[in-house]
Amino acid sequence: MSMTRRDLFKLAGVGALTASIPSVGFSAAERVKKAEAILPPSKGSRVVVCGGGWAGLTVAKYLKKENPNIDVVLIEKRPNFFSCPISNEWLAGLVSLDFISHDYNQPASKYGYRFINAVVVGIERDKRRVYTNHGYIEYDYLVLAPGIKYNYDAWFKGDKNMAYYTKVNYPAAFIPGSEHLALKRKVWEFEEGDFVITVPPGAYRCPPASYERAAMIAYVFKKNNVKGRVIILDPKEDIAPKGPGFRAAYEQLYLGIVEYVPKAQIKEVDPVNKVIKTTAGDFKFADANLVPPHQAGELVWMADLIAKDKDGKPTGWADQDPLTFQAKADPRVFLVGDVIGGVPYPKSGHMGNSQGKIVAKIIASRIAGKDIKPTLPDNTCYSMVNGEPQEAIVINVTYDYNDKEKKIVPKPKVINERSESLAKATYEWAKSMYKDMFA
Amino acid sequence: MDRRDFIKTCGAIAVASFLDTKFFSEALASQEGFLKLYSKAILLKEDGTPLTEKDIAPHREYIFFYPFASTPCYLINLGDEVKGAQLKLNDGQTYLWKGGVGSKKSIVAYSAICSHQWSYPTKDYAFINYYPPDKPSETTKKAGVIQCCAHLTVFDPKAGGKVIEGPAEVPLASILLEEEGGKLYAVGVLGKDQFDAFFENYKTDLRKEYGSTAKAKELVDKCVVMEVGKYVKEIIRC
């Protein structure tokens, strides 16, 4: 007898658990009567940075470096930092959890910004206030760097039960924390069958992540003699970026283990019966890493700074100036990292770090009453494709501004030939990035 | 004298082939704060005898440690005369680099600590390296450059360590060399050195390597020069 979705939810008691899908349960206006200021008014200019990921951490540190007198407050809901970059290597057991975990105290104490471990529940731009679960904070400038959120509605049309079920049973693991731990457990406990990975459509966090993850999972299967396959369902026509490098790895290292399926746009996800229907066919799976479409993190929606398309519909990404990262609707707000839209920048840790330095310079100069010409960010992204020996490939992109066409033009450089040298460089890249943000 | 007058006055002399260190030190340091003189350290071969110009083969990468026991530098003979240059920072500040030394003015030296995020050659790996004219970088296709594989910044050793491309915002610090009676000496560091960040960020590694931070920070009065490949187990090129 096959179990229906309703039966399964009854058994699991899922209906009662839907509250754990993140949402803001009350408006800032409701909280304002109850909330009190967390901090006394600042003597100088105060910059509040919401989000302690690669972009937010960098803005906070470099603002203090630019001008130690700026009162910088970093608000982050997680108590500790877990790095998404290098998490695929950790997934495959190549690095320890220590390598990708860091504490927020070190940079806060070293650089002199204030770290507040709190959840932002509301933003009132007219009052220049950020409301948290501990009270509100007033700002002169606000930086929103919340990263991404998952858009399960694109799959389940508002069915919160199905979204919750999918999130818990087949976590996307593109937002740091428990999901990654769950995915690692699943990969190492996997015994046989098809393990499906869905690549999100449109813009999403870390474009090569799913392909690297597939290689790392395949490496684990190979190492553990698992009779399993990793099936990548990609809406794109081909692997990108670093397509030739990933393809060579799949064909030369994981033949029969990795199956790449292009043009697989998702039509229906049925996590209960473990079936995904796509334009490239239907796929049953034993287990999966189901990654829904991404959007800018909740805080950008909260602040009403999401761009609209020509039909007036939200694009899902922030509406910011392409060069200064300033919100088009509010000169006091800057949007940085994975949230941004309308620019040819990948959503990556390195890019967030690079943008963070630019934004810090711009805000510091505004506070000093000066205007500076913004520089353009850059991106370097290593991807591990083999575990024994460790081998990686790399893409580096710098950008030029075409003043005539008012366009940012990417200049990519790629090494698709995997090597042990690049694997070592991967860790050197990561170590120095962590040092830049934390040490 | 304002900065503009100073540059005008000093430019003609400074960009010439040789600059009196004392003048350079007093004038430039007081005006710009870019030059730091340390102990005058003789460059030696591995056998302990003084290093001479002929010991430095063109386009090879040599390593020595200066001004501290743990701060690596690269010594390179670029083959042809390397003229002086004026380096300009993002904030508009400028400083003068005097160019190469030696009979052909072709020998230069730079701090091997990347000015971006401080990658440096350890005994295990060197991610920042010189790419000779016949061995261009696979990634950037550039040759005759110093490139760091950690984040792909490319520096120009023929122009005072200027950033050609990549994320670094300041040039590589250059090591001031002098030649006296056929012997080579390191006398100071020019540019934005990264020593504070280096000592801060690699505290644990340096303690392990040198026994204590104090040992790592000892100033040197002689530097043993060797090919990088002899010091480093693996040279990582990209």
Side-chain angles (χ1 to χ4, degrees), chain A residues 61 110 350 353 357 361 378 380 382 396 413 415 417 421-422 424-425 428-429 432-433 435-436 439, chain B residues 116-120 125 127 138-140 149-152 165-167 169 200-202 234 236-238:
Chain A
K61 170 188 163 174
K110 185 173 174 182
H350 185 114
N353 172 273
K357 289 171 186 172
K361 272 201 168 75
D378 69 287
T380 300
Y382 288 92
N396 166 263
K413 305 175 198 85
I415 300 182
E417 196 175 313
S421 291
L422 290 179
K424 284 156 188 157
E428 182 73 1
W429 168 86
S432 55
M433 294 306 273
K435 281 186 197 306
D436 185 48
Chain B
H116 174 232
Q117 281 172 4
W118 323 291
S119 187
Y120 72 104
Y125 309 116
F127 293 93
E138 198 184 337
T139 323
T140 63
C149 288
H151 305 98
L152 299 173
E165 63 176 61
E169 295 194 342
E200 182 60 35
N201 280 298
Y202 295 107
E234 195 174 351
I236 307 280
R237 296 185 178 276
C238 59

Side-chain angles (χ1 to χ4, degrees), chain A residues 82-247:
Chain A
F82 177 102
S83 173
C84 274
I86 311 294
S87 65
N88 286 329
E89 287 79 344
W90 165 80
L91 185 74
L94 305 180
V95 295
S96 71
L97 193 56
D98 275 359
F99 188 79
I100 57 173
S101 304
H102 299 270
D103 68 275
Y104 284 111
N105 302 45
Q106 186 184 19
S109 68
K110 185 173 174 182
Y111 297 108
Y113 60 78
R114 215 183 295 250
F115 171 66
I116 295 179
N117 186 200
V119 180
V120 173
V121 295
I123 294 165
E124 286 188 334
R125 290 196 280 110
D126 55 343
K127 288 199 176 87
R128 284 201 236 144
R129 278 182 183 180
V130 173
Y131 292 87
T132 76
N133 55 329
H134 298 316
Y136 69 80
I137 303 169
E138 291 178 324
Y139 64 82
D140 294 291
Y141 287 96
L142 176 66
V143 177
L144 296 180
I148 58 150
K149 69 172 182 176
Y150 301 132
N151 180 17
Y152 282 104
D153 281 352
W155 283 356
F156 303 118
K157 315 291 179 233
D159 185 337
K160 295 278 187 275
N161 285 334
M162 285 303 273
Y164 173 78
Y165 183 84
T166 306
K167 197 175 190 320
V168 167
N169 288 282
Y170 306 108
F174 270 74
I175 292 173
S178 198
E179 294 176 17
H180 284 81
L181 296 162
L183 179 62
K184 186 169 185 174
R185 172 176 46 79
K186 284 166 161 288
V187 167
W188 284 86
E189 289 177 358
F190 192 76
E191 285 181 323
E192 63 178 322
D194 287 342
F195 192 104
V196 161
I197 294 177
T198 60
V199 179
Y204 62 95
R205 170 175 273 178
C206 195
S210 295
Y211 310 120
E212 182 191 49
R213 189 172 278 178
M216 290 291 91
I217 294 173
Y219 158 70
V220 174
F221 287 2
K222 197 171 157 182
K223 184 184 168 81
N224 293 347
N225 292 314
V226 166
K227 288 179 185 152
R229 290 191 307 167
V230 181
I231 298 178
I232 309 164
L233 300 180
D234 192 349
K236 292 196 287 290
E237 296 206 353
D238 203 352
I239 302 170
K242 296 178 271 195
F246 283 116
R247 197 173 278 283

